[in-house]
Amino acid sequence: MVNSNGSLVTEEKAVLQITNRGYAYGDALFETIRVNSGKILFWEDHYFRLMASMRILRMQIPMKFTPEILEQEILELIESNKLSQVSARVKIMVYRNAEGLYTPQSNEVGYQILASALDNPFYRIEDTTYEVTLFKDHYLAADLLSTLKSNNKIINVLGGVFAKENNFDNCLLLNTNKMVVEALNGNLFLVKGTTIKTPPTDDGCLKGIMRTQLLRILEKLEDYTVEEASISPFELQKADELFITNVITGILPITKFRKKEFGNTTSKRLLGILNSRIRLGN
C-alpha cells in the first residue's frame, strides 16, 4: 500500500501524471526515514527539515502537514503493509502540484509516502571491505540548494554509475572549490587522532539527520574535538578513520581509499552509543 495525498491505495493506483513537476522539472523533495517496530526514529528532526526545505523551495505547506497528522499517516501505512513489528524504510515525496512550464501556476503540493522492509532492527557494522574513490566528473555547488533532499540528484546518480563501472563501493563528491563534501548516500566524517571533522553545510553537504544525531552525541564526549570544517582530498589519506552516515545504515566505515586502509574503532564506539540512545527512546 502507498499513501497518496492522505489516502491509502495500492501501488498500482498511486500513479502520477506525466506532467507532474517532480518528474518534469525535479520540482520535488523527499525525506527518507527509518521506523523500528512502529517507532519513527528522529521524527522531529525529519519533520522540521522537510518543512524548512519546502519553505526554501517556496512550496505552500498544507494545513494538514502537522507533525501529528504526518506521523499518524506514516504509522497507518506501516501497519497496512504489516511492518509494525520490523524495521522499515519510509520515503515521503512532496512535489509542487501545479500546471505551468518552468514557472508554476501555483505553489500547492501533493505528496506520497512509501514503505518497505529493512533487514536489521538496529544499526550494525559489518566487517567487510568498503572502498571509495573521488568522483571528479561533476561538482556540487557550495550553496543552500545543495543541502536539500531535492529530486535533483543527477550528480549522485552519475557517481553511482561511475562507482559501479569501476568496482568501487561508493564515491565521495567534491564541490566547485574542490573540497570533499559527502558520499553519494550520506554525510562524511573524518577521524584523525582525537579530532573528528565533518564538512560544514556551507560547503554544500546535505543537512543529514544522522549527521545531526552524531554531532549531538559528540558534543557530550569530552575526549573528542569536533570540527565542522572543509576537508581537502589530501586530508583523506592522512586520516585514521573515515565513515559515512545516513538514517538507514547508521554509520558505515570506509575501509579503503586509494592505497590507504582505515580502522573503525571510533565508528563502532559511536554506533554503540547511538543504538543505546535509540533503545532508550532518546
Side-chain angles (χ1 to χ4, degrees):
M1 302 294 287
V2 174
N3 180 312
S4 182
N5 291 307
S7 299
L8 289 175
V9 299
T10 60
E11 205 171 276
E12 293 76 19
K13 293 182 178 180
V15 178
L16 297 176
Q17 297 294 321
I18 194 68
T19 55
N20 179 274
R21 297 188 62 83
Y23 170 75
Y25 300 109
D27 191 4
L29 295 162
F30 68 97
E31 196 75 21
T32 307
I33 299 168
R34 184 179 178 112
V35 182
N36 284 355
S37 300
K39 177 178 173 54
I40 304 173
L41 300 190
F42 323 123
W43 170 236
E44 184 176 282
D45 290 323
H46 279 293
Y47 175 78
F48 285 115
R49 180 173 70 171
L50 179 60
M51 295 302 105
S53 298
M54 289 177 68
R55 289 189 183 97
I56 290 168
L57 293 191
R58 305 295 292 275
M59 291 178 170
Q60 182 177 321
I61 299 175
M63 292 293 291
K64 67 170 291 185
F65 266 34
T66 66
E68 294 80 13
I69 291 176
L70 284 179
E71 180 179 19
Q72 181 181 353
E73 291 191 357
I74 291 170
L75 295 179
E76 287 175 353
L77 178 66
I78 289 291
E79 185 174 354
S80 72
N81 285 296
K82 298 181 173 57
L83 299 172
S84 298
Q85 303 303 315
V86 299
S87 293
R89 176 202 301 263
V90 170
K91 184 176 183 179
I92 304 175
M93 294 181 290
V94 180
Y95 50 88
R96 206 181 318 258
N97 196 21
E99 298 294 328
L101 300 176
Y102 284 138
T103 304
Q105 293 180 6
S106 79
N107 292 315
E108 295 178 355
V109 301
Y111 69 101
Q112 291 189 333
I113 310 175
L114 295 76
S116 58
L118 292 172
D119 293 332
N120 299 312
F122 286 100
Y123 297 124
R124 57 191 297 180
I125 289 177
E126 304 288 351
D127 288 323
T128 56
T129 300
Y130 198 85
E131 185 175 0
V132 305
T133 189
L134 294 177
F135 184 57
K136 298 180 180 179
D137 290 357
H138 304 281
Y139 301 99
L140 292 172
D143 63 16
L144 183 61
L145 291 182
S146 294
T147 70
L148 308 182
K149 293 201 77 167
S150 75
N151 277 22
N152 295 289
K153 293 295 182 184
I154 195 64
I155 293 178
N156 301 63
V157 172
L158 293 174
V161 172
F162 178 85
K164 184 177 180 180
E165 290 178 345
N166 292 278
N167 296 314
F168 290 103
D169 296 292
N170 208 327
C171 284
L172 302 180
L173 302 177
L174 303 171
N175 64 18
T176 49
N177 299 321
K178 306 301 188 292
M179 292 291 109
V180 182
V181 178
E182 60 193 5
L184 298 177
N185 60 338
N187 291 105
L188 177 70
F189 284 77
L190 179 154
V191 183
K192 178 64 175 176
T194 59
T195 298
I196 299 180
K197 289 180 67 173
T198 192
T201 54
D202 286 348
D203 276 3
C205 75
L206 181 71
K207 291 183 178 178
I209 299 301
M210 186 54 66
R211 175 183 184 274
T212 298
Q213 309 314 311
L214 285 190
L215 288 175
R216 289 173 184 165
I217 289 172
L218 289 166
E219 281 180 2
K220 299 179 180 179
L221 298 179
E222 296 180 356
D223 42 343
Y224 292 112
T225 300
V226 182
E227 297 179 2
E228 291 185 64
S230 297
I231 296 175
S232 70
F234 180 69
E235 287 181 77
L236 298 177
Q237 289 179 283
K238 288 187 168 185
D240 299 321
E241 292 185 46
L242 298 173
F243 58 85
I244 300 164
T245 64
N246 65 53
V247 294
I248 300 302
T249 58
I251 297 175
L252 177 59
I254 294 170
T255 62
K256 188 175 182 182
F257 170 69
R258 293 180 178 167
K259 295 182 179 180
K260 178 68 180 289
E261 296 186 357
F262 305 95
N264 60 14
T265 302
T266 303
S267 303
K268 287 184 174 179
R269 180 186 179 190
L270 293 174
L271 193 71
I273 296 171
L274 178 65
N275 278 331
S276 296
R277 292 186 62 176
I278 292 171
R279 290 188 182 96
L280 294 172
N282 297 326

